[in-house]
């Protein structure tokens, strides 16, 4: 399981599987994360990142575009 992936609570009761970008150091208590490759990176509080549950993107249901 990779430590770079976590399910982070971005709002009350709403979780996103995020990947931490390690090329940029945390600043002002925030870490840079991405949700998917096609979305722009955004900052999340480091306390939320530390409290989040690690997950592996290789496990779980596989969703394919156009699949029924």
């Amino acid at each position: 399981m990779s430590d770079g992936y976590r399910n982070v609570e971005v709002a009350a009761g709403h979780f996103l599987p995020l990947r931490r970008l390690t090329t940029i150091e945390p600043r002002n208590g925030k870490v840079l994360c991405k949700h998917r490759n096609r979305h722009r990176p955004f900052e999340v509080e480091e306390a939320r990142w530390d409290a989040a549950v690690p997950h592996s993107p290789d496990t779980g249901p596989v969703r394919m575009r156009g699949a029924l």
Side-chain angles (χ1 to χ4, degrees), residues 8 10 16-19 21 30-36 39-44:
V8 179
V10 292
L16 280 178
L18 298 178
R19 178 174 57 99
L21 300 177
K30 298 192 181 236
V31 294
L32 195 63
C33 299
K34 278 186 92 169
H35 175 56
R36 295 184 180 168
H39 296 292
R40 294 190 335 179
F42 59 95
E43 290 182 330
V44 174

PDB file of all heavy atoms in Angstrom, residues 8 10 16-19 21 30-36 39-44:
ATOM      1  N   VAL A   8      -9.102  11.546   1.905  1.00  0.00           N
ATOM      2  CA  VAL A   8      -9.093  12.764   2.714  1.00  0.00           C
ATOM      3  C   VAL A   8     -10.495  13.355   2.774  1.00  0.00           C
ATOM      4  O   VAL A   8     -11.187  13.454   1.763  1.00  0.00           O
ATOM      5  CB  VAL A   8      -8.110  13.798   2.116  1.00  0.00           C
ATOM      6  CG1 VAL A   8      -8.107  15.075   2.928  1.00  0.00           C
ATOM      7  CG2 VAL A   8      -6.710  13.213   2.040  1.00  0.00           C
ATOM      8  N   VAL A  10     -12.594  16.289   2.633  1.00  0.00           N
ATOM      9  CA  VAL A  10     -12.449  17.661   2.142  1.00  0.00           C
ATOM     10  C   VAL A  10     -13.571  18.565   2.644  1.00  0.00           C
ATOM     11  O   VAL A  10     -13.417  19.779   2.683  1.00  0.00           O
ATOM     12  CB  VAL A  10     -12.381  17.706   0.595  1.00  0.00           C
ATOM     13  CG1 VAL A  10     -11.100  17.072   0.113  1.00  0.00           C
ATOM     14  CG2 VAL A  10     -13.571  17.034  -0.026  1.00  0.00           C
ATOM     15  N   LEU A  16     -12.385  12.279  -0.594  1.00  0.00           N
ATOM     16  CA  LEU A  16     -11.810  12.123  -1.924  1.00  0.00           C
ATOM     17  C   LEU A  16     -10.544  11.282  -1.828  1.00  0.00           C
ATOM     18  O   LEU A  16      -9.734  11.493  -0.930  1.00  0.00           O
ATOM     19  CB  LEU A  16     -11.421  13.477  -2.516  1.00  0.00           C
ATOM     20  CG  LEU A  16     -12.495  14.339  -3.126  1.00  0.00           C
ATOM     21  CD1 LEU A  16     -11.898  15.643  -3.614  1.00  0.00           C
ATOM     22  CD2 LEU A  16     -13.165  13.622  -4.275  1.00  0.00           C
ATOM     23  N   PRO A  17     -10.345  10.349  -2.763  1.00  0.00           N
ATOM     24  CA  PRO A  17      -9.068   9.650  -2.808  1.00  0.00           C
ATOM     25  C   PRO A  17      -8.040  10.570  -3.460  1.00  0.00           C
ATOM     26  O   PRO A  17      -8.154  10.916  -4.635  1.00  0.00           O
ATOM     27  CB  PRO A  17      -9.362   8.420  -3.665  1.00  0.00           C
ATOM     28  CG  PRO A  17     -10.516   8.807  -4.511  1.00  0.00           C
ATOM     29  CD  PRO A  17     -11.302   9.819  -3.721  1.00  0.00           C
ATOM     30  N   LEU A  18      -7.071  11.030  -2.685  1.00  0.00           N
ATOM     31  CA  LEU A  18      -6.093  11.990  -3.167  1.00  0.00           C
ATOM     32  C   LEU A  18      -4.698  11.386  -3.204  1.00  0.00           C
ATOM     33  O   LEU A  18      -4.373  10.495  -2.433  1.00  0.00           O
ATOM     34  CB  LEU A  18      -6.077  13.234  -2.279  1.00  0.00           C
ATOM     35  CG  LEU A  18      -7.360  14.040  -2.219  1.00  0.00           C
ATOM     36  CD1 LEU A  18      -7.190  15.209  -1.266  1.00  0.00           C
ATOM     37  CD2 LEU A  18      -7.750  14.537  -3.593  1.00  0.00           C
ATOM     38  N   ARG A  19      -3.895  11.930  -4.099  1.00  0.00           N
ATOM     39  CA  ARG A  19      -2.487  11.549  -4.210  1.00  0.00           C
ATOM     40  C   ARG A  19      -1.665  12.769  -3.839  1.00  0.00           C
ATOM     41  O   ARG A  19      -1.867  13.866  -4.361  1.00  0.00           O
ATOM     42  CB  ARG A  19      -2.171  11.121  -5.640  1.00  0.00           C
ATOM     43  CG  ARG A  19      -0.723  10.767  -5.853  1.00  0.00           C
ATOM     44  CD  ARG A  19      -0.512  10.208  -7.246  1.00  0.00           C
ATOM     45  NE  ARG A  19      -0.950  11.100  -8.288  1.00  0.00           N
ATOM     46  CZ  ARG A  19      -0.138  11.903  -8.978  1.00  0.00           C
ATOM     47  NH1 ARG A  19       1.144  11.930  -8.706  1.00  0.00           N
ATOM     48  NH2 ARG A  19      -0.617  12.679  -9.928  1.00  0.00           N
ATOM     49  N   LEU A  21       1.464  15.123  -3.892  1.00  0.00           N
ATOM     50  CA  LEU A  21       2.553  15.444  -4.803  1.00  0.00           C
ATOM     51  C   LEU A  21       3.803  15.687  -3.983  1.00  0.00           C
ATOM     52  O   LEU A  21       3.864  16.603  -3.165  1.00  0.00           O
ATOM     53  CB  LEU A  21       2.199  16.673  -5.641  1.00  0.00           C
ATOM     54  CG  LEU A  21       0.954  16.521  -6.512  1.00  0.00           C
ATOM     55  CD1 LEU A  21       0.652  17.820  -7.236  1.00  0.00           C
ATOM     56  CD2 LEU A  21       1.136  15.400  -7.505  1.00  0.00           C
ATOM     57  N   LYS A  30       0.126  23.188   4.753  1.00  0.00           N
ATOM     58  CA  LYS A  30      -0.708  22.636   3.684  1.00  0.00           C
ATOM     59  C   LYS A  30       0.154  21.759   2.782  1.00  0.00           C
ATOM     60  O   LYS A  30       1.341  21.995   2.624  1.00  0.00           O
ATOM     61  CB  LYS A  30      -1.346  23.742   2.865  1.00  0.00           C
ATOM     62  CG  LYS A  30      -2.261  24.616   3.700  1.00  0.00           C
ATOM     63  CD  LYS A  30      -3.098  25.500   2.848  1.00  0.00           C
ATOM     64  CE  LYS A  30      -3.966  26.360   3.748  1.00  0.00           C
ATOM     65  NZ  LYS A  30      -5.340  26.247   3.462  1.00  0.00           N
ATOM     66  N   VAL A  31      -0.468  20.729   2.216  1.00  0.00           N
ATOM     67  CA  VAL A  31       0.220  19.846   1.274  1.00  0.00           C
ATOM     68  C   VAL A  31      -0.509  19.909  -0.066  1.00  0.00           C
ATOM     69  O   VAL A  31      -1.716  20.127  -0.122  1.00  0.00           O
ATOM     70  CB  VAL A  31       0.288  18.389   1.781  1.00  0.00           C
ATOM     71  CG1 VAL A  31       1.142  18.276   3.013  1.00  0.00           C
ATOM     72  CG2 VAL A  31      -1.086  17.830   2.043  1.00  0.00           C
ATOM     73  N   LEU A  32       0.231  19.725  -1.148  1.00  0.00           N
ATOM     74  CA  LEU A  32      -0.332  19.776  -2.488  1.00  0.00           C
ATOM     75  C   LEU A  32      -0.779  18.388  -2.896  1.00  0.00           C
ATOM     76  O   LEU A  32      -0.019  17.428  -2.804  1.00  0.00           O
ATOM     77  CB  LEU A  32       0.709  20.323  -3.464  1.00  0.00           C
ATOM     78  CG  LEU A  32       0.210  20.778  -4.816  1.00  0.00           C
ATOM     79  CD1 LEU A  32      -0.755  21.953  -4.654  1.00  0.00           C
ATOM     80  CD2 LEU A  32       1.368  21.182  -5.694  1.00  0.00           C
ATOM     81  N   CYS A  33      -2.040  18.255  -3.347  1.00  0.00           N
ATOM     82  CA  CYS A  33      -2.622  16.967  -3.704  1.00  0.00           C
ATOM     83  C   CYS A  33      -3.319  17.059  -5.050  1.00  0.00           C
ATOM     84  O   CYS A  33      -3.662  18.141  -5.511  1.00  0.00           O
ATOM     85  CB  CYS A  33      -3.646  16.533  -2.661  1.00  0.00           C
ATOM     86  SG  CYS A  33      -2.990  16.326  -1.035  1.00  0.00           S
ATOM     87  N   LYS A  34      -3.539  15.883  -5.654  1.00  0.00           N
ATOM     88  CA  LYS A  34      -4.324  15.790  -6.887  1.00  0.00           C
ATOM     89  C   LYS A  34      -5.361  14.701  -6.712  1.00  0.00           C
ATOM     90  O   LYS A  34      -5.110  13.688  -6.068  1.00  0.00           O
ATOM     91  CB  LYS A  34      -3.436  15.417  -8.072  1.00  0.00           C
ATOM     92  CG  LYS A  34      -2.707  16.585  -8.672  1.00  0.00           C
ATOM     93  CD  LYS A  34      -1.971  16.181  -9.900  1.00  0.00           C
ATOM     94  CE  LYS A  34      -2.856  16.405 -11.091  1.00  0.00           C
ATOM     95  NZ  LYS A  34      -2.153  16.289 -12.355  1.00  0.00           N
ATOM     96  N   HIS A  35      -6.523  14.910  -7.322  1.00  0.00           N
ATOM     97  CA  HIS A  35      -7.572  13.893  -7.286  1.00  0.00           C
ATOM     98  C   HIS A  35      -7.409  12.942  -8.461  1.00  0.00           C
ATOM     99  O   HIS A  35      -7.411  11.738  -8.297  1.00  0.00           O
ATOM    100  CB  HIS A  35      -8.940  14.548  -7.311  1.00  0.00           C
ATOM    101  CG  HIS A  35     -10.086  13.594  -7.405  1.00  0.00           C
ATOM    102  ND1 HIS A  35     -10.266  12.580  -6.493  1.00  0.00           N
ATOM    103  CD2 HIS A  35     -11.092  13.483  -8.284  1.00  0.00           C
ATOM    104  CE1 HIS A  35     -11.347  11.887  -6.829  1.00  0.00           C
ATOM    105  NE2 HIS A  35     -11.860  12.421  -7.917  1.00  0.00           N
ATOM    106  N   ARG A  36      -7.247  13.462  -9.642  1.00  0.00           N
ATOM    107  CA  ARG A  36      -7.021  12.677 -10.850  1.00  0.00           C
ATOM    108  C   ARG A  36      -6.049  13.439 -11.730  1.00  0.00           C
ATOM    109  O   ARG A  36      -5.778  14.610 -11.507  1.00  0.00           O
ATOM    110  CB  ARG A  36      -8.327  12.459 -11.604  1.00  0.00           C
ATOM    111  CG  ARG A  36      -9.308  11.617 -10.832  1.00  0.00           C
ATOM    112  CD  ARG A  36     -10.527  11.358 -11.665  1.00  0.00           C
ATOM    113  NE  ARG A  36     -11.455  10.555 -10.904  1.00  0.00           N
ATOM    114  CZ  ARG A  36     -12.692  10.363 -11.263  1.00  0.00           C
ATOM    115  NH1 ARG A  36     -13.158  10.901 -12.366  1.00  0.00           N
ATOM    116  NH2 ARG A  36     -13.491   9.627 -10.537  1.00  0.00           N
ATOM    117  N   HIS A  39      -7.318  16.818 -13.375  1.00  0.00           N
ATOM    118  CA  HIS A  39      -7.676  17.949 -12.531  1.00  0.00           C
ATOM    119  C   HIS A  39      -6.423  18.662 -12.046  1.00  0.00           C
ATOM    120  O   HIS A  39      -5.373  18.053 -11.890  1.00  0.00           O
ATOM    121  CB  HIS A  39      -8.489  17.489 -11.321  1.00  0.00           C
ATOM    122  CG  HIS A  39      -9.809  16.899 -11.687  1.00  0.00           C
ATOM    123  ND1 HIS A  39     -10.828  17.637 -12.219  1.00  0.00           N
ATOM    124  CD2 HIS A  39     -10.268  15.634 -11.610  1.00  0.00           C
ATOM    125  CE1 HIS A  39     -11.866  16.861 -12.449  1.00  0.00           C
ATOM    126  NE2 HIS A  39     -11.540  15.629 -12.088  1.00  0.00           N
ATOM    127  N   ARG A  40      -6.552  19.949 -11.795  1.00  0.00           N
ATOM    128  CA  ARG A  40      -5.408  20.707 -11.302  1.00  0.00           C
ATOM    129  C   ARG A  40      -5.149  20.382  -9.833  1.00  0.00           C
ATOM    130  O   ARG A  40      -6.081  20.087  -9.087  1.00  0.00           O
ATOM    131  CB  ARG A  40      -5.668  22.200 -11.454  1.00  0.00           C
ATOM    132  CG  ARG A  40      -5.761  22.594 -12.902  1.00  0.00           C
ATOM    133  CD  ARG A  40      -5.776  24.055 -13.167  1.00  0.00           C
ATOM    134  NE  ARG A  40      -6.249  24.917 -12.104  1.00  0.00           N
ATOM    135  CZ  ARG A  40      -6.291  26.225 -12.191  1.00  0.00           C
ATOM    136  NH1 ARG A  40      -5.924  26.804 -13.294  1.00  0.00           N
ATOM    137  NH2 ARG A  40      -6.721  26.944 -11.191  1.00  0.00           N
ATOM    138  N   PRO A  41      -3.899  20.454  -9.393  1.00  0.00           N
ATOM    139  CA  PRO A  41      -3.599  20.204  -7.976  1.00  0.00           C
ATOM    140  C   PRO A  41      -4.188  21.298  -7.086  1.00  0.00           C
ATOM    141  O   PRO A  41      -4.400  22.420  -7.523  1.00  0.00           O
ATOM    142  CB  PRO A  41      -2.069  20.249  -7.914  1.00  0.00           C
ATOM    143  CG  PRO A  41      -1.578  20.379  -9.286  1.00  0.00           C
ATOM    144  CD  PRO A  41      -2.714  20.691 -10.184  1.00  0.00           C
ATOM    145  N   PHE A  42      -4.459  20.924  -5.838  1.00  0.00           N
ATOM    146  CA  PHE A  42      -4.949  21.886  -4.867  1.00  0.00           C
ATOM    147  C   PHE A  42      -4.349  21.556  -3.513  1.00  0.00           C
ATOM    148  O   PHE A  42      -3.823  20.470  -3.298  1.00  0.00           O
ATOM    149  CB  PHE A  42      -6.487  21.923  -4.813  1.00  0.00           C
ATOM    150  CG  PHE A  42      -7.122  20.604  -4.455  1.00  0.00           C
ATOM    151  CD1 PHE A  42      -7.458  20.323  -3.147  1.00  0.00           C
ATOM    152  CD2 PHE A  42      -7.373  19.662  -5.431  1.00  0.00           C
ATOM    153  CE1 PHE A  42      -8.036  19.118  -2.819  1.00  0.00           C
ATOM    154  CE2 PHE A  42      -7.961  18.457  -5.117  1.00  0.00           C
ATOM    155  CZ  PHE A  42      -8.290  18.180  -3.804  1.00  0.00           C
ATOM    156  N   GLU A  43      -4.411  22.536  -2.604  1.00  0.00           N
ATOM    157  CA  GLU A  43      -3.812  22.363  -1.280  1.00  0.00           C
ATOM    158  C   GLU A  43      -4.851  21.889  -0.276  1.00  0.00           C
ATOM    159  O   GLU A  43      -6.003  22.301  -0.299  1.00  0.00           O
ATOM    160  CB  GLU A  43      -3.212  23.674  -0.797  1.00  0.00           C
ATOM    161  CG  GLU A  43      -1.986  24.083  -1.576  1.00  0.00           C
ATOM    162  CD  GLU A  43      -1.367  25.351  -1.050  1.00  0.00           C
ATOM    163  OE1 GLU A  43      -2.100  26.216  -0.516  1.00  0.00           O
ATOM    164  OE2 GLU A  43      -0.143  25.474  -1.182  1.00  0.00           O
ATOM    165  N   VAL A  44      -4.390  21.001   0.632  1.00  0.00           N
ATOM    166  CA  VAL A  44      -5.209  20.466   1.720  1.00  0.00           C
ATOM    167  C   VAL A  44      -4.419  20.682   3.005  1.00  0.00           C
ATOM    168  O   VAL A  44      -3.184  20.609   3.007  1.00  0.00           O
ATOM    169  CB  VAL A  44      -5.471  18.957   1.497  1.00  0.00           C
ATOM    170  CG1 VAL A  44      -6.194  18.346   2.668  1.00  0.00           C
ATOM    171  CG2 VAL A  44      -6.241  18.728   0.227  1.00  0.00           C
TER     172      VAL A  44
END
